[in-house]
Amino acid sequence: MPAKGYVEIDKEVCKGCNLCVLNCPTKCLALNTTDTNSHGLHYAYQADEEKCIACMNCSVMCPDAAITVYKKTE
Amino acid sequence: MKTGYEKIYERPDTLLSTRMHYCPGCMHAIVHKLIAELIDEMKLQEKTVGVCPVGCSVFAYDYIDIDWQEAAHGRAAALATAIKRMLPDRLVFSYQGDGDLAAIGTAETIHACNRGEQFTFIFINNAIYGMTGGQMAPTTLEGMKTTTSPYGRLAKTAGMPLKMCELVSQFDGVAFAQRVSCNNPANVRRTKKAIQRAFEIQQQGLGTTFVEVVSNCPSNWKCTPEVSLQKVKEEMLPYFPLGVYKEPRS
């Protein structure tokens, strides 16, 4: 199934609380446990872009408003 | 942006780019974001005055780009009363935690509600004193371990947790009281609607509006953000039931 949307996560704003990963219904987000941002925190990233349905659950839950959501136009 | 895609959500303009000091997973930041989104959507950035409390949210004025006034500990309701009476065309809200609103500021809160002052309380109830290091608050659950109740809160000596929403909904001056939470996306969306309704009722001048957000404190509950959300659902919400406690008389 082609992607209905995708998200961009500002890794410098992300604190790695994992709330977006937990609330993603299609499990397309993941926490990067091998790399850290400049604050020394793990950050979330979109691991599987094909699964994103642009439901905005991640951006609704994100405490630090680090997530921008894009939806396919047609 | 990729071609063929449109932006459906981005960080609200009213939320400044300052990095928030809140711990990872703290619901204070979610509520800040919702307030910023609402102020953007209602186009009230130039007409809103917030009152910050003492507590974890003491730096709220650094994060949301509106007019703010810092209150002495617990006196946010008194200050908000003064602001609203001097500037009745402004949207005024106080943003308070449980230590501020339900402990040191109980008298101010209750009397402002009783007088029916035309501003909105946004009350963040996380059952603990967050900033000072996890002491027992009036809303701490029975049996919950804190630094000042290491064997758990005892109802015999400390009483039962205060239910502020039920308390203030008894006053005639209160037009709207609702308890919400932010433990899952559906509840976050409900929280946004509740705050929006409170702001609209305030603009209609119907009375005091009160929104209680059942929140978490991963650092002082000594758990991960994931476990803190489970604790909100399993421990907090049975004692603090969600719902609308007061609606304006039509």
Side-chain angles (χ1 to χ4, degrees), chain A residues 6 12 15 17 22-23 39 41 49 55 57 59-65 67-73, chain B residues 1-2 4-9 11 19-20 22 24-26 29-30 33 182 184-185 188-189 225-226 229:
Chain A
Y6 70 102
E12 289 303 314
K15 289 176 185 160
C17 69
L22 291 169
N23 286 289
H39 302 278
L41 299 164
E49 218 172 88
C55 66
N57 272 9
S59 66
V60 164
M61 281 309 282
C62 179
D64 293 280
I67 304 178
T68 310
V69 187
Y70 299 91
K71 189 182 182 182
K72 206 164 195 174
T73 40
Chain B
M1 197 185 349
K2 295 179 186 173
Y5 289 87
E6 60 170 340
K7 198 183 278 176
I8 56 170
Y9 182 83
R11 192 183 173 93
R19 187 180 166 80
M20 292 195 225
Y22 299 116
C26 179
I30 300 182
K33 182 184 71 176
C182 284
N184 58 40
V188 177
R189 290 180 166 109
E226 179 180 3
L229 293 194

Side-chain angles (χ1 to χ4, degrees), chain B residues 112-129:
Chain B
C113 289
N114 194 34
R115 294 193 304 267
E117 299 294 344
Q118 312 281 335
F119 65 89
T120 301
F121 284 97
I122 296 172
F123 169 39
I124 311 294
N125 173 7
N126 62 1
I128 207 159
Y129 283 90

